[in-house]
Amino acid sequence: MRGLNNEKRYALLDSLRGLLLLEMIVYHFFWDLVYLFEQDLPWFHSSLCYWWQQSICWRFIFLSGFCWPLGKRAVRRAVQVFGGSVLVMVITHIFVPDQAVTFGVLFFLGSGMLLLEMLDRWLYRLAPVWGITVSGMLFFLTRNINDGSLGFEDWNFFKIPEQLYLNKFTTYVGFTEAGFFSSDYFSLMPWFFLYLAGYYCLRFCEALGGLPQIFDYGSGCLSFFGRRSLLVYLLHQPLLYLLLTSILGGKVLL
């Protein structure tokens, strides 16, 4: 059901992914300064910086959903991403337990790949315009689900019963149990709906006759990073830590 040409790489998509990875690395450079090296950067806690961080997450997840129908061997890719998420979880719990990662973005992306693999034949039947509309509305409605409400950011429309916020499984789904902490947390809800919006945008392009020619053009440098997104994600934090340690003198994390 994937459609289009899943044998072809589109340079623009690789470049966009590479650009987002570089933005993420810059953001994490400052995050490490604040939370690992205890530097005082008041602007990092501003609303502007929050929306920058959110925009990186939103664009990356949307782009991942957009690219899913173009890929091959979804199960194998999901296993690789899950493996990366387990590696991140183990390393952070051992070396930086105060900032450990559970149910991080890699775990979510692996879940999204598997869910689309299972649901694609049914999702494909829904008209792309309806798919974009419904998934976008569901993302908007469930954005605050981790905090106990239906709503978006500062708008809360309905308080969800606390009885749903039970354990690690409900936390994975989006109903975050009391006391749970992760420095990188992406539950199925609301993020799968944003992933779906990207998926349906690709389906919309497919219905119009395919991706326009501009998708064949991109930056060679950014595409290099975009084609190796999992490796870049796994390596960037250790390299940033080594860099900042050499500059500032770091604390021992053992």
Side-chain angles (χ1 to χ4, degrees):
M1 286 293 189
R2 279 183 170 79
L4 290 178
N5 182 1
N6 61 13
E7 299 292 333
K8 179 179 179 179
R9 292 203 74 99
Y10 293 90
L12 180 60
L13 296 177
D14 285 331
S15 296
L16 290 173
R17 190 183 299 109
L19 177 62
L20 287 170
L21 285 169
L22 291 180
E23 277 193 65
M24 176 197 67
I25 290 170
V26 172
Y27 175 84
H28 282 162
F29 174 85
F30 292 110
W31 188 94
D32 289 353
L33 278 174
V34 172
Y35 291 105
L36 297 183
F37 291 84
E38 301 176 348
Q39 300 298 301
D40 184 22
L41 300 176
W43 66 267
F44 191 76
H45 305 286
S46 68
S47 59
L48 182 61
C49 191
Y50 168 78
W51 283 110
W52 175 41
Q53 182 265 345
Q54 286 292 293
S55 76
I56 297 171
C57 300
W58 293 17
R59 284 178 286 150
F60 193 83
I61 290 173
F62 180 90
L63 181 62
S64 297
F66 186 92
C67 292
W68 184 89
L70 301 172
K72 300 180 294 182
R73 298 183 289 273
V75 174
R76 189 178 79 171
R77 287 186 291 124
V79 169
Q80 291 173 339
V81 173
F82 274 129
S85 74
V86 171
L87 182 63
V88 170
M89 181 178 68
V90 170
I91 289 176
T92 56
H93 275 80
I94 292 175
F95 293 105
V96 281
D98 291 343
Q99 301 294 337
V101 173
T102 304
F103 300 138
V105 68
L106 290 182
F107 199 88
F108 163 75
L109 291 174
S111 301
M113 292 175 188
L114 289 181
L115 282 172
L116 281 186
E117 181 70 13
M118 293 186 291
L119 299 175
D120 183 40
R121 66 179 66 183
W122 292 284
L123 294 172
Y124 195 85
R125 299 173 185 174
L126 183 63
V129 171
W130 280 107
I132 295 169
T133 301
V134 172
S135 55
M137 290 177 62
L138 287 173
F139 175 69
F140 180 88
L141 185 64
T142 61
R143 178 65 185 89
N144 295 345
I145 196 171
N146 298 151
D147 299 320
S149 299
L150 294 180
F152 184 85
E153 296 296 334
D154 293 333
W155 301 326
N156 290 306
F157 310 129
F158 176 78
K159 184 171 176 59
I160 301 172
E162 294 180 2
Q163 291 83 351
L164 294 177
Y165 294 77
L166 296 173
N167 49 45
K168 287 295 187 292
F169 177 76
T170 64
T171 299
Y172 166 65
V173 173
F175 304 106
T176 313
E177 68 175 332
F180 174 81
F181 172 80
S182 175
S183 62
D184 183 43
Y185 172 46
F186 289 83
S187 53
L188 285 181
M189 293 190 294
W191 300 106
F192 185 64
F193 299 126
L194 183 59
Y195 194 78
L196 270 183
Y199 164 88
Y200 276 114
C201 277
L202 189 282
R203 293 302 188 202
F204 181 76
C205 292
E206 181 182 37
L208 293 179
L211 296 177
Q213 191 174 2
I214 192 175
F215 278 79
D216 293 328
Y217 301 99
S219 163
C221 179
L222 293 177
S223 293
F224 176 84
F225 288 102
R227 288 194 300 269
R228 298 161 178 82
S229 55
L230 180 59
L231 181 63
V232 171
Y233 186 89
L234 292 176
L235 291 179
H236 83 280
Q237 278 288 38
L239 293 177
L240 283 177
Y241 182 77
L242 290 175
L243 173 64
L244 289 171
T245 298
S246 67
I247 296 173
L248 300 173
K251 60 184 181 181
V252 179
L253 299 179
L254 294 175

